[in-house]
Amino acid sequence: MTERAVLVEEVGKVFDGGVTALENVSLTIGAGEFVSLIGPSGCGKSTLLRIIADLEQPTSGAVSVFGLTARRARVEQKYGIAFQQAGLLDWRTVQSNVALPLELHKVPKRERADRVRELLDLVGLTDFAENFPTQLSGGMQQRVAIARALARTPGLLLMDEPFGALDEMTREKMQNDLLRIAEESSAAVVFVTHSIPEAVYLSDRVVVMSSRPGRVVDTLSIDSIDSFDADGDPRESAGFFAAITSVRDALHVSTIPSADVR
């Protein structure tokens, strides 16, 4: 990793009422690297993502994004973010939803239109530019949300279970789309998921977290998907299932999860 996209240094988070969500979490993510966070419900995965995004403040420790404080990185839009719900504006068309971050930053109209066309082509929705969100499937709505997150050409994409509400076939297609988009955009990705197969399929590394208070139990490097020895879908290969077993074994190191944190 020649450039550092995210540096998390000994981060802790204690919510009002004394609930400790995170404890002494340290993590480095390289530019262009795809890293998944996985662990029991309530282990603080989403809290950690929100701290990186400057949507939550750590109680202790520090976070930097491309060498900037999390606050400065947010102001300068060094990252894009996508949640489980697409969060589109129903009264705006697909292209208008994608254009929103560009409008807010007063990007000139012609430049904005060119960028929106480029993004819709990237996510395969050029033919749906004039449609409204209610006319799209759940998977298509998530692709619009990803395009919007990439509007300002961020070097980092933060994703909190973006495919959790999708059916299995749509989810697999979206995973393939995301791999292609991440490669074409060269953005680093921090991806929160509860799915071990999803984490293995998508990631360069999988960060395994313990039950609350969330700590990093292990970090596993995943071989390139090209090395999974299958003629067809790599998800049917022996190498893929071996990687899943490695992540599952690391998860077993953690204790039984307690009540959900956030």
Side-chain angles (χ1 to χ4, degrees):
M1 296 183 295
T2 57
E3 185 183 3
R4 183 183 292 153
V6 178
L7 177 62
V8 178
E9 298 180 282
E10 299 183 350
V11 161
K13 176 65 178 180
V14 181
F15 286 107
D16 293 342
V19 175
T20 302
L22 297 170
E23 185 176 79
N24 197 32
V25 173
S26 295
L27 178 64
T28 301
I29 297 167
E33 187 180 25
F34 198 121
V35 174
S36 288
L37 307 179
I38 194 167
S41 294
C43 73
K45 302 181 296 295
S46 295
T47 298
L48 178 57
L49 190 85
R50 290 175 64 83
I51 287 173
I52 295 171
D54 192 48
L55 301 177
E56 295 277 1
Q57 302 307 310
T59 306
S60 59
V63 172
S64 63
V65 177
F66 293 109
L68 304 173
T69 64
R71 176 64 53 84
R72 177 50 54 185
R74 177 173 59 81
V75 171
E76 295 187 11
Q77 289 206 324
K78 294 295 185 180
Y79 67 83
I81 190 164
F83 297 100
Q84 184 169 347
Q85 299 299 321
L88 305 178
L89 302 178
D90 289 341
W91 60 91
R92 296 179 69 111
T93 63
V94 165
Q95 63 183 5
S96 294
N97 268 283
V98 174
L100 183 58
L102 304 173
E103 292 177 19
L104 293 174
H105 283 81
K106 304 187 186 308
V107 174
K109 187 174 182 179
R110 179 170 296 182
E111 181 182 342
R112 188 166 71 231
D114 289 343
R115 178 59 176 158
V116 169
R117 279 194 294 270
E118 178 184 350
L119 289 163
L120 291 181
D121 181 63
L122 179 67
V123 299
L125 290 175
T126 300
D127 293 340
F128 297 88
E130 297 293 341
N131 287 67
F132 290 91
T134 54
Q135 298 171 305
L136 305 179
S137 68
M140 294 167 74
Q141 289 182 22
Q142 283 298 77
R143 279 190 276 161
V144 176
I146 292 170
R148 183 180 60 188
L150 292 169
R152 295 277 293 166
T153 320
L156 173 66
L157 187 57
L158 304 175
M159 310 190 78
D160 192 357
E161 295 192 79
F163 309 146
L166 303 179
D167 65 83
E168 195 60 30
M169 292 303 295
T170 302
R171 186 168 184 155
E172 286 191 3
K173 184 182 185 308
M174 288 298 300
Q175 290 167 1
N176 291 335
D177 288 343
L178 178 58
L179 283 175
R180 174 182 55 80
I181 290 166
E183 181 177 358
E184 293 182 15
S185 67
S186 299
V189 182
V190 182
F191 190 92
V192 170
T193 181
H194 281 99
S195 169
I196 297 174
E198 182 170 71
V200 168
Y201 184 65
L202 292 174
S203 306
D204 298 310
R205 286 189 298 144
V206 176
V207 174
V208 180
M209 298 182 66
S210 70
S211 55
R212 176 165 59 91
R215 302 175 305 278
V216 174
V217 172
D218 204 348
T219 301
L220 295 93
S221 295
I222 306 297
D223 289 338
S224 168
I225 202 71
D226 295 333
S227 70
F228 288 156
D229 49 348
D231 294 331
D233 190 339
R235 285 170 282 214
E236 298 176 359
S237 72
F240 180 69
F241 287 108
I244 287 174
T245 299
S246 295
V247 175
R248 183 177 290 116
D249 288 346
L251 278 168
H252 286 167
V253 173
S254 64
T255 57
I256 297 173
S258 54
D260 287 358
V261 177
R262 289 188 187 181

